[in-house]
Amino acid sequence: MRIGILTGGGDSSAINAAIRAVVRRGFEGGHQILGFKNGWAGPINNDYVEMTDESVSGILPRGGTILGTSRTNPFKMDGAVEKMRENLKRAGIEAMICIGGDDTLGVAHKLNHLDEPILAIGIPQTIDNDINGTDFAIGFQSALLVATDALDRLHTTAESHHRIIVVEVMGRDAGHVALYAGLAGGADTILVPEHRFSIDDVVDRIKKRRQSGKTFSIIVVAEGARPEGREQIVITEKTDAFGHVRLGGIGEYLANVIEERTGLETRSMNLGHLLRGGVASPFDRIIATEFGVAAVELVEKGEFDRMVAIQCGDVTSIPLEEALTTRPVDERVFRMAQLFF
Ligand code: F6P
C-alpha cells in the first residue's frame, strides 16, 4: 500500500521517533510511505516526499518534526478538502497516518466520515497530554523532564534570594504539565485550568510558609489557569484556524499581585516553547516507536478512524471520536499534590 504520514499542530520531542517507526515498519510490510509537509497543508498543497531509510536515519532522538507542522484546518478553507482528496488520489495514497493533538486528530476523524472517506489513523502527540483514551501522548514526558529541571534550578535561586517565583507552563485546557512537573519539581502551589484558584489562598499559603521559616516559594501555573473572577489571560484574542486564542501572561500577572499583596520579592518566568523542544526522553522514544508500528498494523488490518493508545502499559487503539474530548487531570493526583503545598 501507499501510506501518507503527516505531523500537525504544536510540535514536541519524539515525533521523529514515531515517523521513523512508521517508515521502518511500513517498509517491513512492503509499503511505500509518503511524508506530507507541514501538517494538513501538505495534502492540500500536494507537498510530500517519498520516505526512504535515509530519511529517518539518525532522527530517533531529535526534537521537532522532519516533516514540519502547521495549524492548518482544511475544513476552514474553501475547496481544501476536495483538493486534498484529488492530491491524495493522484499520489495513490490509500490511508493517512496523522500525528498530532485534538485539532489534527479531529480533522482525521472528519475525513473518515466524508461521503467519499479519506481513510486515516491517529497517533496521539501533544505536550499537554490531554487526549482522552491514552495514558500518554508523545511529547508529554519529554516536556516534564524540561519543566522539572527548570523547577530544580529555580529552587536554588529562589532560596538564595528568599523570593517567590511563579513559573508558567503550557497547558491550554488541562494542567497535566503543571501538575506533574509541580509534583516532581516540588512546587509549593500548583494551579491548573480545571480549577479556578483564589489569589487570597495563594497569598495565605506563602505567608504561612514564611511563618514556618520557609522564606521562598515556587508556584507552577498552567497558561490556561484562571483566578476567581477572571477569564484566561491571553497574549492576543486573535484565534488560530481551530479557534484557539494565544494564551500567556498568567504567571507575570500572578507574580505582580503576589508582590503587591505580600511585599515580598517575586519573579516570574514562562517556560513556554522550551517545553516543546530538545532531545526526546527515552520513554517518549519508546511509546512513539510503539505507536508508529501499531499505526501501520491498523492500516494493514483495515481498521481506520482509530487512534493508537497506551493504557496501563498496553498498546491498543480506540475510536478516534473517543479521543477528541479533553482529558482533565486526575482529581486523586491533584488532591494528593495539595499534601505537599
Ligand atoms: O497544543 C499544544 C500547545 O503546546 C499548547 O500547550 C499551547 O497553548 C500551544 O500549543 C501553543 O501553540 P503555538 O506554538 O502555536 O503558539
Side-chain angles (χ1 to χ4, degrees):
M1 293 174 78
R2 283 172 70 82
I3 302 171
I5 180 171
L6 65 79
T7 60
D11 75 328
S12 73
S13 301
I15 297 174
N16 288 322
I19 294 170
R20 169 179 174 269
V22 167
V23 172
R24 300 288 290 273
R25 175 57 183 77
F27 288 175
E28 182 67 26
H31 308 296
Q32 292 92 41
I33 308 292
L34 279 65
F36 285 83
K37 309 303 282 298
N38 305 320
W40 291 107
I44 294 169
N45 302 326
N46 202 35
D47 186 5
Y48 65 85
V49 290
E50 290 269 357
M51 302 299 279
T52 64
D53 275 326
E54 290 65 43
S55 316
V56 295
S57 169
I59 69 168
L60 173 63
R62 199 186 308 166
T65 159
I66 59 169
L67 295 177
T69 184
S70 72
R71 292 186 182 278
T72 302
N73 182 354
F75 288 95
K76 292 283 185 194
M77 299 162 69
D78 290 343
V81 173
E82 281 324 304
K83 208 168 163 205
M84 207 156 57
R85 179 200 313 289
E86 282 159 31
N87 289 336
L88 293 175
K89 201 174 276 181
R90 194 177 314 120
I93 295 294
E94 298 158 80
M96 287 298 295
I97 293 176
C98 313
I99 302 175
D102 53 348
D103 294 338
T104 303
L105 302 181
V107 171
H109 173 57
K110 281 182 185 169
L111 294 176
N112 279 288
H113 291 266
L114 295 173
D115 294 344
E116 196 186 329
I118 294 174
L119 302 176
I121 300 280
I123 292 181
Q125 171 270 323
T126 172
I127 68 164
D128 292 1
N129 207 41
D130 59 354
I131 299 173
N132 193 45
T134 184
D135 297 342
F136 295 101
I138 294 171
F140 172 62
Q141 284 278 325
S142 302
L144 273 197
L145 275 182
V146 174
T148 305
D149 176 66
L151 290 176
D152 290 346
R153 293 167 184 274
L154 290 170
H155 261 89
T156 59
T157 178
E159 193 163 10
S160 306
H161 286 264
H162 316 291
R163 281 173 172 163
I164 318 302
I165 298 188
V166 181
V167 185
E168 180 176 329
V169 297
M170 286 185 165
R172 200 200 307 269
D173 305 313
H176 298 275
V177 175
L179 176 56
Y180 288 93
L183 263 177
D188 305 301
T189 289
I190 300 171
L191 305 170
V192 296
E194 293 88 335
H195 293 273
R196 274 186 186 281
F197 64 88
S198 150
I199 293 182
D200 290 346
D201 289 352
V202 173
V203 167
D204 288 349
R205 208 172 286 147
I206 291 169
K207 288 179 176 169
K208 282 202 181 85
R209 271 180 60 84
R210 280 256 149 168
Q211 285 150 17
S212 71
K214 294 278 178 37
T215 60
F216 72 97
S217 289
I218 300 283
I219 297 168
V220 177
V221 58
E223 63 184 344
R226 294 163 295 170
E228 283 162 0
R230 279 203 63 135
E231 284 317 302
Q232 290 175 327
I233 296 185
V234 302
I235 291 174
T236 164
E237 292 289 354
K238 205 159 65 71
T239 56
D240 66 14
F242 291 92
H244 301 305
V245 295
R246 187 149 17 121
L247 296 173
I250 181 70
E252 189 178 354
Y253 166 80
L254 188 52
N256 292 336
V257 172
I258 289 169
E259 190 160 62
E260 272 161 39
R261 299 272 294 274
T262 64
L264 301 171
E265 280 195 355
T266 307
R267 299 291 187 272
S268 69
M269 72 172 299
N270 184 345
L271 296 181
H273 288 75
L274 274 179
L275 300 168
R276 298 248 294 263
V279 170
S281 74
F283 179 88
D284 263 345
R285 298 182 203 188
I286 292 164
I287 62 165
T289 300
E290 290 260 26
F291 285 172
V293 169
V296 173
E297 290 170 357
L298 282 177
V299 171
E300 288 178 336
K301 289 184 283 189
E303 294 182 24
F304 297 105
D305 196 23
R306 296 186 70 81
M307 178 190 79
V308 296
I310 184 165
Q311 295 176 352
C312 306
D314 294 329
V315 176
T316 180
S317 73
I318 62 167
L320 258 176
E321 189 162 27
E322 286 177 21
L324 300 179
T325 55
T326 300
R327 185 170 68 101
V329 296
D330 181 327
E331 285 302 311
R332 177 193 63 77
V333 177
F334 185 68
R335 276 196 309 279
M336 179 191 75
Q338 325 271 327
L339 288 174
F340 303 93
F341 290 174

PDB file of all heavy atoms in Angstrom, residues 71-76 102-104 107 110 172-173 232 234 236-247:
ATOM      1  N   ARG A  71      -0.768  24.726  11.852  1.00  0.00           N
ATOM      2  CA  ARG A  71      -2.109  24.634  12.425  1.00  0.00           C
ATOM      3  C   ARG A  71      -3.119  24.885  11.303  1.00  0.00           C
ATOM      4  O   ARG A  71      -4.015  25.703  11.435  1.00  0.00           O
ATOM      5  CB  ARG A  71      -2.259  25.622  13.583  1.00  0.00           C
ATOM      6  CG  ARG A  71      -1.388  25.239  14.771  1.00  0.00           C
ATOM      7  CD  ARG A  71      -1.640  26.120  15.971  1.00  0.00           C
ATOM      8  NE  ARG A  71      -0.754  25.771  17.079  1.00  0.00           N
ATOM      9  CZ  ARG A  71      -0.953  24.780  17.940  1.00  0.00           C
ATOM     10  NH1 ARG A  71      -2.022  24.010  17.771  1.00  0.00           N
ATOM     11  NH2 ARG A  71      -0.108  24.525  18.904  1.00  0.00           N
ATOM     12  N   THR A  72      -2.962  24.159  10.186  1.00  0.00           N
ATOM     13  CA  THR A  72      -3.852  24.294   9.026  1.00  0.00           C
ATOM     14  C   THR A  72      -5.107  23.438   9.242  1.00  0.00           C
ATOM     15  O   THR A  72      -5.002  22.269   9.610  1.00  0.00           O
ATOM     16  CB  THR A  72      -3.129  23.816   7.750  1.00  0.00           C
ATOM     17  OG1 THR A  72      -1.943  24.598   7.593  1.00  0.00           O
ATOM     18  CG2 THR A  72      -4.024  23.961   6.534  1.00  0.00           C
ATOM     19  N   ASN A  73      -6.276  24.042   9.020  1.00  0.00           N
ATOM     20  CA  ASN A  73      -7.546  23.325   9.166  1.00  0.00           C
ATOM     21  C   ASN A  73      -8.257  23.302   7.809  1.00  0.00           C
ATOM     22  O   ASN A  73      -8.867  24.309   7.407  1.00  0.00           O
ATOM     23  CB  ASN A  73      -8.417  24.021  10.215  1.00  0.00           C
ATOM     24  CG  ASN A  73      -9.727  23.283  10.445  1.00  0.00           C
ATOM     25  OD1 ASN A  73     -10.031  22.320   9.736  1.00  0.00           O
ATOM     26  ND2 ASN A  73     -10.498  23.745  11.427  1.00  0.00           N
ATOM     27  N   PRO A  74      -8.217  22.190   7.081  1.00  0.00           N
ATOM     28  CA  PRO A  74      -8.813  22.137   5.740  1.00  0.00           C
ATOM     29  C   PRO A  74     -10.314  22.431   5.727  1.00  0.00           C
ATOM     30  O   PRO A  74     -10.855  22.897   4.733  1.00  0.00           O
ATOM     31  CB  PRO A  74      -8.529  20.707   5.266  1.00  0.00           C
ATOM     32  CG  PRO A  74      -8.139  19.939   6.459  1.00  0.00           C
ATOM     33  CD  PRO A  74      -7.622  20.906   7.465  1.00  0.00           C
ATOM     34  N   PHE A  75     -10.952  22.214   6.901  1.00  0.00           N
ATOM     35  CA  PHE A  75     -12.404  22.461   6.946  1.00  0.00           C
ATOM     36  C   PHE A  75     -12.723  23.951   7.119  1.00  0.00           C
ATOM     37  O   PHE A  75     -13.881  24.351   7.147  1.00  0.00           O
ATOM     38  CB  PHE A  75     -13.025  21.622   8.075  1.00  0.00           C
ATOM     39  CG  PHE A  75     -13.057  20.157   7.755  1.00  0.00           C
ATOM     40  CD1 PHE A  75     -12.042  19.319   8.193  1.00  0.00           C
ATOM     41  CD2 PHE A  75     -14.071  19.621   6.963  1.00  0.00           C
ATOM     42  CE1 PHE A  75     -12.039  17.963   7.870  1.00  0.00           C
ATOM     43  CE2 PHE A  75     -14.084  18.270   6.640  1.00  0.00           C
ATOM     44  CZ  PHE A  75     -13.057  17.435   7.092  1.00  0.00           C
ATOM     45  N   LYS A  76     -11.683  24.756   7.238  1.00  0.00           N
ATOM     46  CA  LYS A  76     -11.890  26.218   7.314  1.00  0.00           C
ATOM     47  C   LYS A  76     -11.429  26.896   6.020  1.00  0.00           C
ATOM     48  O   LYS A  76     -11.293  28.106   5.952  1.00  0.00           O
ATOM     49  CB  LYS A  76     -11.085  26.799   8.488  1.00  0.00           C
ATOM     50  CG  LYS A  76     -11.591  26.379   9.840  1.00  0.00           C
ATOM     51  CD  LYS A  76     -12.834  27.143  10.243  1.00  0.00           C
ATOM     52  CE  LYS A  76     -13.246  26.790  11.667  1.00  0.00           C
ATOM     53  NZ  LYS A  76     -14.609  27.234  11.982  1.00  0.00           N
ATOM     54  N   ASP A 102      -5.583  17.152  19.546  1.00  0.00           N
ATOM     55  CA  ASP A 102      -7.019  17.080  19.259  1.00  0.00           C
ATOM     56  C   ASP A 102      -7.400  17.771  17.955  1.00  0.00           C
ATOM     57  O   ASP A 102      -8.289  17.318  17.227  1.00  0.00           O
ATOM     58  CB  ASP A 102      -7.826  17.640  20.428  1.00  0.00           C
ATOM     59  CG  ASP A 102      -7.388  19.050  20.842  1.00  0.00           C
ATOM     60  OD1 ASP A 102      -6.318  19.500  20.377  1.00  0.00           O
ATOM     61  OD2 ASP A 102      -8.109  19.684  21.621  1.00  0.00           O
ATOM     62  N   ASP A 103      -6.711  18.844  17.611  1.00  0.00           N
ATOM     63  CA  ASP A 103      -7.050  19.527  16.344  1.00  0.00           C
ATOM     64  C   ASP A 103      -6.723  18.644  15.135  1.00  0.00           C
ATOM     65  O   ASP A 103      -7.578  18.410  14.268  1.00  0.00           O
ATOM     66  CB  ASP A 103      -6.267  20.840  16.242  1.00  0.00           C
ATOM     67  CG  ASP A 103      -6.686  21.843  17.315  1.00  0.00           C
ATOM     68  OD1 ASP A 103      -7.810  21.712  17.848  1.00  0.00           O
ATOM     69  OD2 ASP A 103      -5.879  22.737  17.633  1.00  0.00           O
ATOM     70  N   THR A 104      -5.505  18.132  15.091  1.00  0.00           N
ATOM     71  CA  THR A 104      -5.086  17.294  13.961  1.00  0.00           C
ATOM     72  C   THR A 104      -5.928  16.029  13.868  1.00  0.00           C
ATOM     73  O   THR A 104      -6.368  15.632  12.790  1.00  0.00           O
ATOM     74  CB  THR A 104      -3.589  16.923  14.130  1.00  0.00           C
ATOM     75  OG1 THR A 104      -2.827  18.130  14.233  1.00  0.00           O
ATOM     76  CG2 THR A 104      -3.076  16.081  12.963  1.00  0.00           C
ATOM     77  N   VAL A 107      -9.526  16.577  12.559  1.00  0.00           N
ATOM     78  CA  VAL A 107      -9.613  16.609  11.095  1.00  0.00           C
ATOM     79  C   VAL A 107      -9.588  15.174  10.549  1.00  0.00           C
ATOM     80  O   VAL A 107     -10.407  14.800   9.712  1.00  0.00           O
ATOM     81  CB  VAL A 107      -8.453  17.434  10.491  1.00  0.00           C
ATOM     82  CG1 VAL A 107      -8.418  17.292   8.964  1.00  0.00           C
ATOM     83  CG2 VAL A 107      -8.585  18.908  10.883  1.00  0.00           C
ATOM     84  N   LYS A 110     -12.963  13.538  10.925  1.00  0.00           N
ATOM     85  CA  LYS A 110     -13.959  14.057   9.976  1.00  0.00           C
ATOM     86  C   LYS A 110     -13.730  13.473   8.570  1.00  0.00           C
ATOM     87  O   LYS A 110     -14.678  13.114   7.861  1.00  0.00           O
ATOM     88  CB  LYS A 110     -13.878  15.586   9.893  1.00  0.00           C
ATOM     89  CG  LYS A 110     -14.557  16.330  11.034  1.00  0.00           C
ATOM     90  CD  LYS A 110     -14.451  17.821  10.802  1.00  0.00           C
ATOM     91  CE  LYS A 110     -14.997  18.661  11.951  1.00  0.00           C
ATOM     92  NZ  LYS A 110     -14.628  20.096  11.773  1.00  0.00           N
ATOM     93  N   ARG A 172      -3.228  24.398  27.795  1.00  0.00           N
ATOM     94  CA  ARG A 172      -4.350  25.283  27.440  1.00  0.00           C
ATOM     95  C   ARG A 172      -5.620  24.924  28.206  1.00  0.00           C
ATOM     96  O   ARG A 172      -6.211  25.731  28.895  1.00  0.00           O
ATOM     97  CB  ARG A 172      -4.600  25.118  25.928  1.00  0.00           C
ATOM     98  CG  ARG A 172      -5.355  26.233  25.270  1.00  0.00           C
ATOM     99  CD  ARG A 172      -5.968  25.764  23.948  1.00  0.00           C
ATOM    100  NE  ARG A 172      -5.042  25.138  23.026  1.00  0.00           N
ATOM    101  CZ  ARG A 172      -4.362  25.807  22.098  1.00  0.00           C
ATOM    102  NH1 ARG A 172      -4.446  27.093  22.041  1.00  0.00           N
ATOM    103  NH2 ARG A 172      -3.570  25.186  21.248  1.00  0.00           N
ATOM    104  N   ASP A 173      -6.031  23.658  28.087  1.00  0.00           N
ATOM    105  CA  ASP A 173      -7.317  23.268  28.675  1.00  0.00           C
ATOM    106  C   ASP A 173      -7.149  22.315  29.844  1.00  0.00           C
ATOM    107  O   ASP A 173      -8.101  22.090  30.598  1.00  0.00           O
ATOM    108  CB  ASP A 173      -8.181  22.555  27.610  1.00  0.00           C
ATOM    109  CG  ASP A 173      -8.355  23.424  26.368  1.00  0.00           C
ATOM    110  OD1 ASP A 173      -8.675  24.616  26.538  1.00  0.00           O
ATOM    111  OD2 ASP A 173      -8.112  22.917  25.258  1.00  0.00           O
ATOM    112  N   GLN A 232      -9.309  33.564  31.286  1.00  0.00           N
ATOM    113  CA  GLN A 232      -7.920  33.230  30.944  1.00  0.00           C
ATOM    114  C   GLN A 232      -7.190  34.488  30.459  1.00  0.00           C
ATOM    115  O   GLN A 232      -7.794  35.344  29.791  1.00  0.00           O
ATOM    116  CB  GLN A 232      -7.891  32.163  29.838  1.00  0.00           C
ATOM    117  CG  GLN A 232      -8.366  30.802  30.305  1.00  0.00           C
ATOM    118  CD  GLN A 232      -8.441  29.796  29.160  1.00  0.00           C
ATOM    119  OE1 GLN A 232      -8.731  30.173  28.026  1.00  0.00           O
ATOM    120  NE2 GLN A 232      -8.169  28.533  29.460  1.00  0.00           N
ATOM    121  N   VAL A 234      -4.714  36.241  27.971  1.00  0.00           N
ATOM    122  CA  VAL A 234      -4.256  35.923  26.612  1.00  0.00           C
ATOM    123  C   VAL A 234      -3.234  36.943  26.138  1.00  0.00           C
ATOM    124  O   VAL A 234      -3.187  38.075  26.622  1.00  0.00           O
ATOM    125  CB  VAL A 234      -5.449  35.883  25.616  1.00  0.00           C
ATOM    126  CG1 VAL A 234      -6.487  34.873  26.047  1.00  0.00           C
ATOM    127  CG2 VAL A 234      -6.057  37.268  25.479  1.00  0.00           C
ATOM    128  N   THR A 236      -3.117  37.403  22.720  1.00  0.00           N
ATOM    129  CA  THR A 236      -3.949  38.045  21.707  1.00  0.00           C
ATOM    130  C   THR A 236      -5.280  37.297  21.606  1.00  0.00           C
ATOM    131  O   THR A 236      -5.315  36.079  21.760  1.00  0.00           O
ATOM    132  CB  THR A 236      -3.270  38.050  20.312  1.00  0.00           C
ATOM    133  OG1 THR A 236      -4.277  38.352  19.321  1.00  0.00           O
ATOM    134  CG2 THR A 236      -2.664  36.703  19.943  1.00  0.00           C
ATOM    135  N   GLU A 237      -6.339  38.054  21.395  1.00  0.00           N
ATOM    136  CA  GLU A 237      -7.677  37.432  21.240  1.00  0.00           C
ATOM    137  C   GLU A 237      -7.793  36.798  19.849  1.00  0.00           C
ATOM    138  O   GLU A 237      -8.715  36.041  19.591  1.00  0.00           O
ATOM    139  CB  GLU A 237      -8.769  38.505  21.403  1.00  0.00           C
ATOM    140  CG  GLU A 237      -8.904  39.088  22.804  1.00  0.00           C
ATOM    141  CD  GLU A 237      -9.508  38.086  23.802  1.00  0.00           C
ATOM    142  OE1 GLU A 237      -9.916  36.978  23.380  1.00  0.00           O
ATOM    143  OE2 GLU A 237      -9.532  38.419  25.002  1.00  0.00           O
ATOM    144  N   LYS A 238      -6.818  37.166  18.956  1.00  0.00           N
ATOM    145  CA  LYS A 238      -6.866  36.595  17.592  1.00  0.00           C
ATOM    146  C   LYS A 238      -6.820  35.069  17.710  1.00  0.00           C
ATOM    147  O   LYS A 238      -6.018  34.538  18.491  1.00  0.00           O
ATOM    148  CB  LYS A 238      -5.639  37.106  16.799  1.00  0.00           C
ATOM    149  CG  LYS A 238      -5.817  37.138  15.297  1.00  0.00           C
ATOM    150  CD  LYS A 238      -4.837  38.091  14.602  1.00  0.00           C
ATOM    151  CE  LYS A 238      -3.385  37.650  14.748  1.00  0.00           C
ATOM    152  NZ  LYS A 238      -3.071  36.444  13.946  1.00  0.00           N
ATOM    153  N   THR A 239      -7.688  34.389  16.966  1.00  0.00           N
ATOM    154  CA  THR A 239      -7.715  32.924  17.102  1.00  0.00           C
ATOM    155  C   THR A 239      -7.032  32.261  15.902  1.00  0.00           C
ATOM    156  O   THR A 239      -6.956  32.835  14.818  1.00  0.00           O
ATOM    157  CB  THR A 239      -9.173  32.420  17.154  1.00  0.00           C
ATOM    158  OG1 THR A 239      -9.845  32.886  15.982  1.00  0.00           O
ATOM    159  CG2 THR A 239      -9.879  32.920  18.402  1.00  0.00           C
ATOM    160  N   ASP A 240      -6.574  31.014  16.125  1.00  0.00           N
ATOM    161  CA  ASP A 240      -5.958  30.274  15.029  1.00  0.00           C
ATOM    162  C   ASP A 240      -7.061  29.539  14.258  1.00  0.00           C
ATOM    163  O   ASP A 240      -8.249  29.722  14.542  1.00  0.00           O
ATOM    164  CB  ASP A 240      -4.873  29.313  15.558  1.00  0.00           C
ATOM    165  CG  ASP A 240      -5.477  28.185  16.419  1.00  0.00           C
ATOM    166  OD1 ASP A 240      -6.721  28.002  16.380  1.00  0.00           O
ATOM    167  OD2 ASP A 240      -4.720  27.520  17.144  1.00  0.00           O
ATOM    168  N   ALA A 241      -6.675  28.702  13.284  1.00  0.00           N
ATOM    169  CA  ALA A 241      -7.665  28.053  12.397  1.00  0.00           C
ATOM    170  C   ALA A 241      -8.555  27.071  13.146  1.00  0.00           C
ATOM    171  O   ALA A 241      -9.526  26.561  12.591  1.00  0.00           O
ATOM    172  CB  ALA A 241      -6.937  27.336  11.261  1.00  0.00           C
ATOM    173  N   PHE A 242      -8.205  26.778  14.407  1.00  0.00           N
ATOM    174  CA  PHE A 242      -9.042  25.859  15.192  1.00  0.00           C
ATOM    175  C   PHE A 242      -9.760  26.611  16.317  1.00  0.00           C
ATOM    176  O   PHE A 242     -10.293  26.019  17.254  1.00  0.00           O
ATOM    177  CB  PHE A 242      -8.174  24.723  15.754  1.00  0.00           C
ATOM    178  CG  PHE A 242      -7.666  23.795  14.669  1.00  0.00           C
ATOM    179  CD1 PHE A 242      -6.437  24.027  14.063  1.00  0.00           C
ATOM    180  CD2 PHE A 242      -8.442  22.723  14.221  1.00  0.00           C
ATOM    181  CE1 PHE A 242      -5.976  23.205  13.045  1.00  0.00           C
ATOM    182  CE2 PHE A 242      -7.986  21.887  13.205  1.00  0.00           C
ATOM    183  CZ  PHE A 242      -6.748  22.134  12.615  1.00  0.00           C
ATOM    184  N   GLY A 243      -9.703  27.964  16.244  1.00  0.00           N
ATOM    185  CA  GLY A 243     -10.464  28.774  17.203  1.00  0.00           C
ATOM    186  C   GLY A 243      -9.772  29.011  18.522  1.00  0.00           C
ATOM    187  O   GLY A 243     -10.393  29.486  19.480  1.00  0.00           O
ATOM    188  N   HIS A 244      -8.482  28.697  18.600  1.00  0.00           N
ATOM    189  CA  HIS A 244      -7.748  28.894  19.872  1.00  0.00           C
ATOM    190  C   HIS A 244      -7.132  30.277  19.936  1.00  0.00           C
ATOM    191  O   HIS A 244      -6.458  30.708  18.996  1.00  0.00           O
ATOM    192  CB  HIS A 244      -6.614  27.856  19.989  1.00  0.00           C
ATOM    193  CG  HIS A 244      -7.077  26.432  19.944  1.00  0.00           C
ATOM    194  ND1 HIS A 244      -8.030  25.932  20.803  1.00  0.00           N
ATOM    195  CD2 HIS A 244      -6.735  25.404  19.135  1.00  0.00           C
ATOM    196  CE1 HIS A 244      -8.237  24.655  20.527  1.00  0.00           C
ATOM    197  NE2 HIS A 244      -7.485  24.308  19.515  1.00  0.00           N
ATOM    198  N   VAL A 245      -7.321  30.963  21.084  1.00  0.00           N
ATOM    199  CA  VAL A 245      -6.592  32.223  21.324  1.00  0.00           C
ATOM    200  C   VAL A 245      -5.181  31.845  21.743  1.00  0.00           C
ATOM    201  O   VAL A 245      -4.890  30.688  22.052  1.00  0.00           O
ATOM    202  CB  VAL A 245      -7.267  33.060  22.444  1.00  0.00           C
ATOM    203  CG1 VAL A 245      -8.643  33.517  22.023  1.00  0.00           C
ATOM    204  CG2 VAL A 245      -7.313  32.274  23.749  1.00  0.00           C
ATOM    205  N   ARG A 246      -4.280  32.849  21.741  1.00  0.00           N
ATOM    206  CA  ARG A 246      -2.915  32.571  22.190  1.00  0.00           C
ATOM    207  C   ARG A 246      -2.820  32.940  23.686  1.00  0.00           C
ATOM    208  O   ARG A 246      -2.904  34.104  24.051  1.00  0.00           O
ATOM    209  CB  ARG A 246      -1.891  33.359  21.381  1.00  0.00           C
ATOM    210  CG  ARG A 246      -0.477  32.933  21.746  1.00  0.00           C
ATOM    211  CD  ARG A 246       0.576  33.010  20.673  1.00  0.00           C
ATOM    212  NE  ARG A 246       0.351  33.787  19.522  1.00  0.00           N
ATOM    213  CZ  ARG A 246       1.146  34.807  19.161  1.00  0.00           C
ATOM    214  NH1 ARG A 246       2.157  35.167  19.933  1.00  0.00           N
ATOM    215  NH2 ARG A 246       0.923  35.457  18.056  1.00  0.00           N
ATOM    216  N   LEU A 247      -2.699  31.943  24.516  1.00  0.00           N
ATOM    217  CA  LEU A 247      -2.668  32.170  25.960  1.00  0.00           C
ATOM    218  C   LEU A 247      -1.272  32.619  26.374  1.00  0.00           C
ATOM    219  O   LEU A 247      -0.277  32.334  25.704  1.00  0.00           O
ATOM    220  CB  LEU A 247      -3.027  30.886  26.702  1.00  0.00           C
ATOM    221  CG  LEU A 247      -4.438  30.348  26.489  1.00  0.00           C
ATOM    222  CD1 LEU A 247      -4.588  28.988  27.145  1.00  0.00           C
ATOM    223  CD2 LEU A 247      -5.476  31.312  27.042  1.00  0.00           C
TER     224      LEU A 247
END
